[in-house]
Amino acid sequence: GARFLVLFIPTKERAYASLLRRLGSDLSPPHGRLVGFEDQARADIRRFCEEEGITVADALPPLERALDAGVATYPPGTESHPNAEGYLVIANAVAERLADSGL
């Protein structure tokens, strides 16, 4: 009776891309390519999950909202893993998706 859930955790570069664009910054060519590749991979995996009836939790929208609100979800510098605030946002995204899907 167990159900499988796929969690999308974006890269730091993807999480910041929308904010940078809204602030009027152009993404560098490498950053733009990375975001494009990641978006394509996310779309392909989402489509597969939908076809197979697999529940998906996506941490990107809540991470973007947190960044827009000024919450530092990643440490400064090149460290790409979220900090405690970022992991809290991700955990809440999973909890919300579990509640919404009845899992």
Side-chain angles (χ1 to χ4, degrees):
R3 298 269 319 263
F4 185 66
L5 178 135
V6 170
L7 171 61
F8 288 157
I9 301 175
T11 61
K12 181 179 184 178
E13 294 80 8
R14 179 62 190 93
Y16 273 98
S18 296
L19 175 62
L20 290 171
R21 288 177 177 141
R22 280 193 294 284
L23 294 174
S25 293
D26 291 328
L27 302 181
S28 69
H31 189 176
R33 280 192 302 276
L34 182 139
V35 168
F37 291 145
E38 186 169 340
D39 286 347
Q40 183 61 56
R42 289 165 48 84
D44 292 345
I45 295 167
R46 184 179 298 277
R47 187 172 25 263
F48 173 82
C49 289
E50 288 173 0
E51 290 169 359
E52 297 299 320
I54 299 169
T55 302
V56 172
D58 190 351
L60 178 59
L63 283 167
E64 289 177 326
R65 287 191 296 274
L67 290 168
D68 284 344
V71 177
T73 55
Y74 294 88
T78 59
E79 174 55 51
S80 62
H81 292 91
N83 59 22
E85 289 295 325
Y87 282 116
L88 179 61
V89 170
I90 293 167
N92 286 333
V94 171
E96 183 177 311
R97 186 64 180 113
L98 289 172
D100 287 348
S101 65
L103 295 177

